[in-house]
Amino acid sequence: MEFKERLEKIMPEGKLVTVPMDDGLLDGPVGGLKDMKGKVKEIVAAKPDAILGFLGPWKHCRKELGDTAYVLNLTASGRYGHPNEKVQIYTVEDALRMGVTGVAVHLNVGAENANEQLRTLGQICSAAYNRIPVMAIAYPRGGRIREDHEAQMAATAYAARVAAECGADIVKTKYLGDGAEFKEVVDSTPVPVIMAGGPRAKENPTKTILERVYECMQAGGAGVALGRNSFHHPDTTAFVSAVRGIVRDGRTVDEVVREYKLSN
C-alpha cells in the first residue's frame, strides 16, 4: 500500500475517528479492557476509521479488526515506570513488516527525557517519510511544565507545532476545554490536529465528551481519538457511532444522543 492510500484509509476525506487501545499496556486488564477481543468487536461494529494500539490487538484480534485501519504505537511506558517517559519499542520497519496502516509516536514535551523523545520522533518521521503515515501523540505532560492553564495552553501549542516540525502527518493532542483555544492550536499546526479524549468525566461523562467532540470539530479539528471514553462506556458501539455522527456527518450532540439512546 502506498503512502497516500494509507493516509486516506486512516483519514477518509481528511477526518478521523480513532479509538486508542494502548492503555492496555499502561493500565493492564481493567474495566472495558479486560476482554480484548470482545471490546475490539464492539468498537469495530461502530465503524471507526482506525484503532490505535500495540502489537497485541493487531496480532490477536485480526478477525475482529476486519479491514479497519490500524495505527501501531511505536513508543510506550509501563505502569511501574514513569508514565511520561516514553521509550521506543518497535521500528518503522517492524510496522511495515507487520502490515499495519500507520504508526504513532509519543512526545511529552515536559518529561525528563523529552529530548530523547524528540529524537525518537524525528528519527521515526525520517524513516517513515513517504512510506507510512506518522501520528504524533504530543502532550503538555511532565514535571517541567507548570499546571496553570496558561502554561498548559502554551505547552499544548508548542507540542503540536514541534510534532509537525519533526515531520508528523497527524497530531493528537490535549483539549483544554475551550474551543477558541483549541482553534489556536489547530491554526498554528500545519498538519491535521485531532483531539485526545482523556479520562471520563465524573459527572455526565457521555454528554460532556460529546460536547467536546462537537467543539473540536467547530474549531477546525480533523477528528478525535477517544480511548477511555469509548472502551469504558457501558455501550461502546453506540457511543463510538455517536462520535462518528458528529465528526463525519456534522450532527449535533442532542441529535446523536437521541438516535443512539445514550445516557450517562
Side-chain angles (χ1 to χ4, degrees):
M1 191 184 302
E2 298 295 326
F3 175 86
K4 288 185 178 180
E5 291 179 84
R6 292 176 182 275
L7 190 58
E8 177 63 22
K9 185 174 177 62
I10 295 170
M11 296 188 73
E13 300 177 347
K15 294 182 180 180
L16 172 59
V17 174
T18 183
V19 179
M21 292 192 68
D22 48 358
D23 282 49
L25 188 149
L26 180 61
D27 295 331
V30 297
L33 291 173
K34 288 181 179 179
D35 178 4
M36 182 190 291
K37 287 187 177 182
K39 188 55 62 174
V40 169
K41 188 174 181 179
E42 289 178 30
I43 293 168
V44 170
K47 300 181 180 179
D49 300 303
I51 288 179
L52 186 156
F54 295 107
L55 177 57
W58 178 247
K59 183 176 181 179
H60 301 301
C61 306
R62 294 298 289 275
K63 179 182 178 181
E64 291 77 12
L65 284 166
D67 193 42
T68 306
Y70 197 86
V71 178
L72 181 72
N73 196 339
L74 304 186
T75 55
S77 57
R79 181 173 185 175
Y80 300 108
H82 198 293
N84 291 329
E85 297 181 8
K86 306 295 181 179
V87 296
Q88 184 173 354
I89 61 172
Y90 310 118
T91 67
V92 168
E93 298 305 324
D94 289 335
L96 291 168
R97 176 173 50 82
M98 293 170 189
V100 297
T101 321
V103 297
V105 190
H106 271 95
L107 175 63
N108 292 325
V109 295
E112 290 297 318
N113 71 337
N115 283 343
E116 294 176 27
Q117 293 184 44
L118 186 64
R119 178 175 59 192
T120 297
L121 175 59
Q123 291 175 340
I124 287 172
C125 287
S126 176
Y129 182 67
N130 267 347
R131 302 172 75 198
I132 189 169
V134 177
M135 177 191 295
I137 304 170
Y139 290 155
R141 288 181 179 170
R144 296 182 177 183
I145 302 171
R146 299 194 315 272
E147 291 295 326
D148 62 275
H149 185 81
E150 183 178 357
Q152 288 289 306
M153 176 60 197
T156 299
Y158 170 75
R161 181 55 179 264
V162 167
E165 295 280 357
C166 282
D169 302 292
I170 306 164
V171 174
K172 170 191 170 189
T173 196
K174 188 175 181 179
Y175 183 82
L176 295 174
D178 185 301
E181 290 181 324
F182 192 72
K183 188 176 188 308
E184 291 182 25
V185 176
V186 171
D187 289 347
S188 62
T189 307
V191 299
V193 177
I194 65 171
M195 178 192 85
R200 296 191 81 208
K202 292 182 179 179
E203 295 184 7
N204 302 318
T206 298
K207 194 160 188 180
T208 296
I209 190 62
L210 291 177
E211 286 172 349
R212 289 180 184 173
V213 171
Y214 183 81
E215 291 169 4
C216 162
M217 300 310 294
Q218 294 300 303
V224 296
L226 304 182
R228 285 166 286 183
N229 282 280
S230 299
F231 52 70
H232 289 323
H233 196 281
D235 191 340
T236 294
T237 303
F239 175 76
V240 177
S241 297
V243 172
R244 182 179 172 85
I246 295 172
V247 173
R248 294 221 150 267
D249 303 326
R251 304 182 68 188
T252 67
V253 174
D254 287 342
E255 286 173 343
V256 296
V257 166
R258 282 196 303 270
E259 176 171 351
Y260 294 103
K261 299 178 175 59
L262 291 169
S263 64
N264 290 309

